[in-house]
Amino acid sequence: MTALRRANTYRAHVDELEAVSHMINIFMTQIRCKNEPIIEIIEDLCSNNDLNKLEFLNICNKKIKSGIALPIAWRQSINEWKCKLTDKEKSILLSFGNNLGISDEQSQIENCEYHDLQIVQALDVAKEEKDKKYKLVMQLGIFASLTAAIILI
């Protein structure tokens, strides 16, 4: 059971990074095509089923609606979010949020591109780690189960 839980942790980490990359790309598209205010984009993202794993978006949206400024709401939401991201990956998200809505459209798009590149690099590393460790963890789990069964017999 522990092996399966650990294997699922690797998978969840990859899934969260994929969702973060998708979120950043939605931000970029919305900024580029609709020039929509960041607060409205966050509200739209909360209803996107592909981003359900990014619970911090709902937390952030609630904080903004309660009157907390976007950069503070973003930071607090990420810090409250129980996720599988590493501290480095969270710092990428924090940096992305710190730069949202504070400059012109082109700078916002560059912010999205820059941070998405960093997330994609982290995603590549996470996928590689998952592929290596997932198989190992599953094999060790099967081996441990078989060993326990033999001992019981």
Side-chain angles (χ1 to χ4, degrees), residues 119-133:
I119 290 295
V120 168
Q121 289 171 347
L123 178 58
D124 291 342
V125 171
K127 283 180 179 178
E128 199 173 293
E129 180 181 31
K130 183 196 93 171
D131 290 344
K132 288 179 185 175
K133 293 184 178 179

Side-chain angles (χ1 to χ4, degrees), residues 16-17 19-24 27 45 53-57 70-71 74-79 81 83-100 111 114-116 118-119 122:
E16 286 177 355
L17 284 170
V20 168
S21 178
H22 185 56
M23 175 201 69
I24 293 172
F27 264 110
L45 291 171
K53 291 176 180 3
L54 305 182
E55 296 164 2
F56 79 91
L57 288 170
L70 172 62
W74 186 271
R75 183 178 59 251
Q76 288 176 350
S77 301
I78 290 173
N79 290 332
W81 181 32
C83 64
K84 306 297 182 209
L85 299 183
T86 65
D87 289 341
K88 182 179 179 187
E89 294 158 354
K90 278 187 171 183
S91 72
I92 295 168
L93 254 183
L94 288 168
S95 174
F96 174 69
N98 286 337
N99 295 307
L100 280 177
N111 179 47
Y114 174 75
H115 288 92
D116 187 48
Q118 290 187 320
I119 290 295

